[in-house]
Amino acid sequence: MSDTDGLHGHGNSVLAIQRPGQIRIFTLLEAQQIFPLVRNITAQAFDELAPILDAMRANMENHPVLQHQESLYEEIVQRWINKMERLGVVVSGLWLVDFDTSDGYLCWRHPEPALAYYHGHAQGFGQRRPLLEVIREMQPEWADCTPMI
């Protein structure tokens, strides 16, 4: 049995913790189940970072204070990245994550209210398409929300 067997949510916990750098393959249902946690962790990190950014702007000329604020900024962002990676989500940019479906990505960027976009592996954020449109056209296996036994 490989390290990823049983981590795909087919009868097991959708919240299985991944090792850093380990990519998880999601079905649409699994991504939707974990999405509220991803959204909440991201919103908390975003809110935690706001006063740091304000302080950095206010202290542009005060290099020692600015360096301290930059260090805090990096800590918050790195902590967010680590949490996303442990959930098996691909971090594609600041506050931008992808759920790998094996043929492409379910794509989300804070503060979007829902997981509503998709793009292929060879494409990026700029080429993402509405998820429902992709499901109608492609009828991908990952969109089949019936439980596997």
Side-chain angles (χ1 to χ4, degrees), residues 18-72:
Q18 305 294 117
R19 282 190 288 243
Q22 185 177 10
I23 302 300
R24 179 176 172 184
I25 302 301
F26 288 89
T27 64
L28 178 58
L29 179 60
E30 291 165 345
Q32 289 171 332
Q33 288 173 336
I34 202 171
F35 175 69
L37 180 60
V38 168
R39 184 181 55 216
N40 290 341
I41 290 170
T42 303
Q44 288 173 353
F46 180 86
D47 292 345
E48 188 179 356
L49 200 58
I52 304 297
L53 289 171
D54 291 342
M56 288 173 71
R57 288 184 198 105
N59 291 296
M60 292 302 279
E61 301 301 318
N62 188 342
H63 295 294
V65 173
L66 183 59
Q67 286 177 332
H68 175 70
Q69 298 301 324
E70 287 173 345
S71 177
L72 292 174

Side-chain angles (χ1 to χ4, degrees), residues 52-120:
I52 304 297
L53 289 171
D54 291 342
M56 288 173 71
R57 288 184 198 105
N59 291 296
M60 292 302 279
E61 301 301 318
N62 188 342
H63 295 294
V65 173
L66 183 59
Q67 286 177 332
H68 175 70
Q69 298 301 324
E70 287 173 345
S71 177
L72 292 174
Y73 178 99
E74 290 173 13
E75 286 175 25
I76 293 166
V77 171
Q78 190 59 55
R79 189 168 51 243
W80 172 76
I81 291 169
N82 292 344
K83 288 178 181 180
M84 293 299 106
E85 288 179 348
R86 285 196 310 267
L87 291 172
V89 178
V90 177
V91 174
S92 297
L94 188 58
W95 318 134
L96 175 61
V97 297
D98 291 324
F99 297 80
D100 195 340
T101 66
S102 80
D103 67 355
Y105 297 109
L106 301 169
C107 181
W108 177 75
R109 179 175 67 176
H110 176 78
E112 294 170 344
L115 185 57
Y117 295 95
Y118 172 90
H119 63 82

Side-chain angles (χ1 to χ4, degrees), residues 3 32 139:
D3 290 339
Q32 289 171 332
Q139 300 180 359

